Amino acid sequence: MKINLLGLAVVIILWVSCGETKNTEKQEESQTNSAEVIDGTIEPEAKLGYAIGDIAVDFLLKNTNDEMVSLASFPEASGYIVIFTCNQCPYSVAYEDRIIDLDKKYKALGYPVIAINPNDPEAEGGEGDDFESMKARAQEKGFTFPYLFDANQEIYPIYGATKTPHVFVLQNSEKGRVVKYIGGIDDSAREPEEVKEKYLENAINDLLAGKDIEMPETKALGCSIKTKD
Amino acid sequence: MKKGIFLIGLSLLLLRCSPPKKKPLEVISFAKLQTIMEPKEDNTVYLYNFWATWCAPCVKELPHFDKVVRAYGDDIKMILVSQNEEKEFVEVQTYLDDNQYRADNYLLDKGNPNVWMPMLKEEWSGAIPMTIIRYGKKEFFHEGKMSEEFLRNEIDKLKKEYEN
């Protein structure tokens, strides 16, 4: 008889304590209300980097063949496909073959690719983006374009690159090298077979045809640029 | 008869006392994500973080995001939106199981980012980690990593702004 009462007491205590946890959770779930128009504040962040129409600066950066390269190294070019990219980011890696193809197609038409690694190899997440690894990758893949090291991390903030890969198409004019396109390469980074929109090619084709670029800015996912801070 | 009652009682007790079922990792469309992210007036801070297992700064900050969320208790809810590929589902699930963050976990069916990214946040250029914190109609957005201090400060700022 005593054991039964004790057992009953234990059961009741356990029952009640378990029940309480469940109730709190239920309350949380039932509190979702219908949406309201958002007029939230946006954390102001310094707006660095180029906008369409800006004149881009030249740079002098080391290539994987140890030579210094600048935009001026291409005196015959009508423009340049500047791509901030790196060794480690899965998005950059996924695009390597497509970048090689872009250079193959557009260098002959006056728009060579110039790749720049903006990462600090000594920063967290920057491992594998050091100059020696860049050399190895350029060799393995047979890059036909310069793969430059933004050693002091000075160029990418001026351009406003925030990730890899990040593309800036420049066009030569009397005013200078005008930024004509900013953004991604196409609409399917890691599934190349599913590409439907080749944003970058469309933009360059528009330039070559003397037309305004239909979509001068596109969005794409990528890896943040690695800095020590 | 007594045994039967005992067994029934025991099983009911076990059911009631079993740990709450954690929501498993769910693949969602952008449309569903928008619904999930709709601003709510319920005195809860909603912390949305966009990450991926391959993103070093992302996995570095998640443990202290979790620490902050646990410290704020019921006042805050974290929603983690993985940008991994769907074919990496198991890898993502494993990572989340190993870490047991206090969060709702989603894997975004990414489709064409150029279409939905501007709809989610025009200012976002596409790098991860990316964090959006919403409290009622107020919002904080940050592209890039956040230290524990930075995160706490922004949550506190948002709550202060809202209560004024």
Side-chain angles (χ1 to χ4, degrees):
Chain A
M1 190 51 192
K2 263 196 185 149
I3 292 172
N4 280 346
L5 273 173
L6 187 64
L8 190 64
V10 170
V11 168
I12 290 171
I13 289 166
L14 282 170
W15 186 274
V16 168
S17 57
C18 289
E20 263 168 30
T21 334
K22 289 264 160 85
N23 280 342
T24 325
E25 282 185 27
K26 227 189 176 157
Q27 260 164 37
E28 274 174 30
E29 277 167 51
S30 65
Q31 265 165 21
T32 45
N33 299 327
S34 57
E36 289 184 49
V37 174
I38 191 168
D39 72 314
T41 53
I42 294 167
E43 193 66 12
E45 298 195 331
K47 200 56 170 120
L48 287 165
Y50 292 141
I52 302 297
D54 283 351
I55 308 296
V57 298
D58 200 353
F59 40 75
L60 189 66
L61 301 175
K62 203 179 215 188
N63 193 5
T64 48
N65 63 0
D66 289 316
E67 286 174 15
M68 300 306 284
V69 170
S70 61
L71 295 171
S73 312
F74 297 86
E76 303 295 305
S78 309
Y80 323 83
I81 308 172
V82 178
I83 307 184
F84 291 89
T85 188
C86 66
N87 271 29
Q88 288 302 297
C89 173
Y91 283 80
S92 285
V93 172
Y95 273 115
E96 276 170 357
D97 290 341
R98 282 172 274 181
I99 292 173
I100 291 169
D101 289 343
L102 281 163
D103 189 54
K104 206 165 275 172
K105 179 171 179 182
Y106 290 105
K107 182 152 59 194
L109 297 171
Y111 282 82
V113 166
I114 293 151
I116 302 176
N117 171 18
N119 288 336
D120 179 351
E122 288 170 22
E124 194 124 22
E127 307 83 15
D129 280 328
D130 57 286
F131 193 63
E132 286 308 306
S133 303
M134 285 172 64
K135 279 185 167 179
R137 182 66 56 84
Q139 203 152 42
E140 276 162 37
K141 299 290 296 188
F143 284 173
T144 54
F145 46 84
Y147 187 20
L148 312 177
F149 188 46
D150 189 5
N152 299 322
Q153 295 193 300
E154 283 169 348
I155 301 305
Y156 88 79
I158 297 174
Y159 274 69
T162 54
K163 63 192 189 288
T164 55
H166 202 159
V167 183
F168 295 79
V169 177
L170 316 177
Q171 187 183 47
N172 278 330
S173 74
E174 308 109 28
K175 289 188 287 167
R177 299 181 181 102
V178 184
V179 177
K180 289 302 229 175
Y181 174 86
I182 300 172
I185 294 170
D186 56 43
D187 64 350
S188 183
R190 298 181 74 195
E191 310 288 334
E193 335 74 54
E194 291 181 17
V195 170
K196 292 188 193 69
E197 300 288 338
K198 296 187 175 182
Y199 297 125
L200 177 55
E201 290 204 36
N202 293 341
I204 303 170
N205 292 340
D206 284 342
L207 287 178
L208 289 169
K211 295 191 289 182
D212 283 334
I213 296 179
E214 215 180 298
M215 215 184 256
E217 284 194 78
T218 60
K219 299 277 190 179
L221 292 165
C223 311
S224 58
I225 291 174
K226 309 299 183 277
T227 56
K228 268 200 209 86
D229 64 43
Chain B
M1 180 59 183
K2 263 199 185 148
K3 220 177 195 171
I5 293 170
F6 174 72
L7 281 172
I8 290 168
L10 189 64
S11 12
L12 283 173
L13 184 65
L14 283 170
L15 266 169
R16 185 121 167 167
C17 288
S18 57
K21 276 263 146 73
K22 232 191 161 163
K23 270 212 308 195
L25 175 65
E26 199 187 325
V27 177
I28 54 168
S29 64
F30 179 68
K32 171 109 195 242
L33 179 64
Q34 279 188 302
T35 312
I36 289 165
M37 289 183 71
E38 271 168 2
K40 306 172 198 12
E41 295 280 1
D42 59 356
N43 298 314
T44 306
V45 173
Y46 287 90
L47 171 58
Y48 303 97
N49 181 267
F50 291 71
W51 69 289
T53 54
W54 46 256
C55 163
C58 299
V59 301
K60 177 157 197 241
E61 71 179 10
L62 283 177
H64 62 251
F65 269 54
D66 185 52
K67 179 176 166 196
V68 170
V69 164
R70 286 174 191 272
Y72 281 85
D74 288 339
D75 286 353
I76 193 168
K77 194 165 175 181
M78 179 159 72
I79 292 94
L80 297 176
V81 186
S82 166
Q83 305 299 296
N84 280 80
E85 302 306 300
E86 280 182 63
K87 61 188 177 204
E88 294 168 331
F89 185 92
V90 173
E91 182 190 324
V92 180
Q93 178 76 82
T94 306
Y95 169 82
L96 291 168
D97 285 346
D98 288 345
N99 288 281
Q100 294 292 314
Y101 299 133
R102 213 197 90 185
D104 287 347
N105 289 300
Y106 298 104
L107 183 66
L108 183 65
D109 173 7
K110 290 193 296 297
N112 180 352
N114 189 47
V115 168
W116 59 263
M117 279 175 58
M119 287 177 3
L120 176 69
K121 197 75 195 149
E122 180 62 45
E123 293 79 0
W124 183 33
S125 83
I128 57 170
M130 186 275 273
T131 296
I132 291 174
I133 310 175
R134 291 198 171 137
Y135 190 45
K137 291 198 193 95
K138 297 293 182 182
E139 181 188 273
F140 166 80
F141 157 77
H142 183 73
E143 181 168 6
K145 60 193 179 192
M146 292 183 76
S147 67
E148 182 177 333
E149 192 181 337
F150 189 8
L151 180 63
R152 281 180 189 267
N153 285 342
E154 292 307 326
I155 293 170
D156 290 340
K157 256 202 270 182
L158 213 57
K159 292 181 94 172
K160 222 182 239 163
E161 267 174 49
Y162 194 70
E163 275 141 23
N164 288 338

